[in-house]
Amino acid sequence: MISRKAEHFQPENVGFRTMTLEDIPDIMVIEHESFTLPWSEEAFRNELTHNHFARYLVMEHNGKPIGYAGMWTIVDEAHVTNIAVRTVYRGFHLGEKLLRRMMKWAAELGMVRMTLEVRVSNEVARSLYGKMGFSPAGVRRGYYSDNHEDALIMWCELPKRPHRAGTEGSGWY
């Protein structure tokens, strides 16, 4: 059942841009709706101001963040740190749209492969990742500190795309 708030929502009307410090309050709402171990405001602030490997993308509708994704880009590999969509906007395939955009951005930045960890019990996310070309590559035993659940490590090869100079952080997506 689609929530009343999202009943007139048009998924094709979402936009993407790089995350800013001003987005953190909205990101915290998404974070707490989505994860049993949410990141803190300080963690996001540190990612945006001190981690030169970090890249964060906001998906917005009518100027308001409704989803986000983050990755670390190291040499030629991208590591997805988190990806989440507001509860009321779930069911519109926005997670797929967000991940697809993140993968495109990673390829544009010259990354050739992408990795992530996902709870072994998260069938919805595992299904999405499989659909997007990720394959299981191993398990991190007891990875999640809240319940010591294992994490499935997944990898995919990114499509080859020509690197475009000057795209990093320019809001090109």
Side-chain angles (χ1 to χ4, degrees):
M1 175 161 187
I2 296 173
S3 112
R4 278 194 142 307
K5 183 175 180 181
E7 64 187 12
H8 299 293
F9 172 70
Q10 299 294 318
E12 60 276 3
N13 292 337
V14 299
F16 297 91
R17 61 176 173 75
T18 54
M19 186 186 293
T20 67
L21 292 171
E22 290 74 31
D23 292 318
I24 293 176
D26 290 316
I27 298 308
M28 293 308 301
V29 171
I30 299 167
E31 186 74 3
H32 283 273
E33 286 181 356
S34 303
F35 300 110
T36 57
L37 292 170
W39 284 18
S40 67
E41 284 189 34
E42 188 55 36
F44 282 103
R45 192 171 310 286
N46 185 60
E47 286 288 282
L48 296 177
T49 58
H50 299 301
N51 184 349
H52 64 277
F53 299 115
R55 308 285 181 269
Y56 283 83
L57 181 65
V58 169
M59 178 172 51
E60 61 183 5
H61 180 255
N62 292 333
K64 190 81 167 160
I66 63 168
Y68 78 96
M71 66 181 165
W72 295 338
T73 55
I74 304 170
V75 186
D76 63 354
E77 296 177 353
H79 180 115
V80 176
T81 56
N82 32 28
I83 182 168
V85 174
R86 289 282 324 251
T87 304
V88 298
Y89 294 100
R90 294 181 189 162
F92 294 102
H93 302 282
L94 296 175
E96 179 179 343
K97 196 170 193 168
L98 188 53
L99 181 57
R100 202 174 292 282
R101 189 57 61 105
M102 180 67 72
M103 292 170 76
K104 178 182 175 187
W105 190 17
E108 291 280 345
L109 292 171
M111 305 297 109
V112 297
R113 67 189 64 78
M114 183 174 264
T115 187
L116 54 80
E117 291 94 6
V118 60
R119 287 180 186 267
V120 294
S121 65
N122 191 341
E123 293 294 332
V124 172
R126 288 177 57 184
S127 175
L128 169 62
Y129 301 144
K131 178 181 178 181
M132 299 296 291
F134 285 83
S135 299
V139 173
R140 296 194 197 284
R141 302 270 178 229
Y143 184 76
Y144 295 97
S145 62
D146 62 333
N147 64 358
H148 304 290
E149 184 175 357
D150 295 344
L152 182 63
I153 304 164
M154 300 183 82
W155 284 88
C156 78
E157 298 296 316
L158 293 170
K160 301 220 181 328
R161 301 211 171 152
H163 180 71
R164 291 178 21 201
T167 59
E168 184 177 344
S170 64
W172 60 270
Y173 11 75

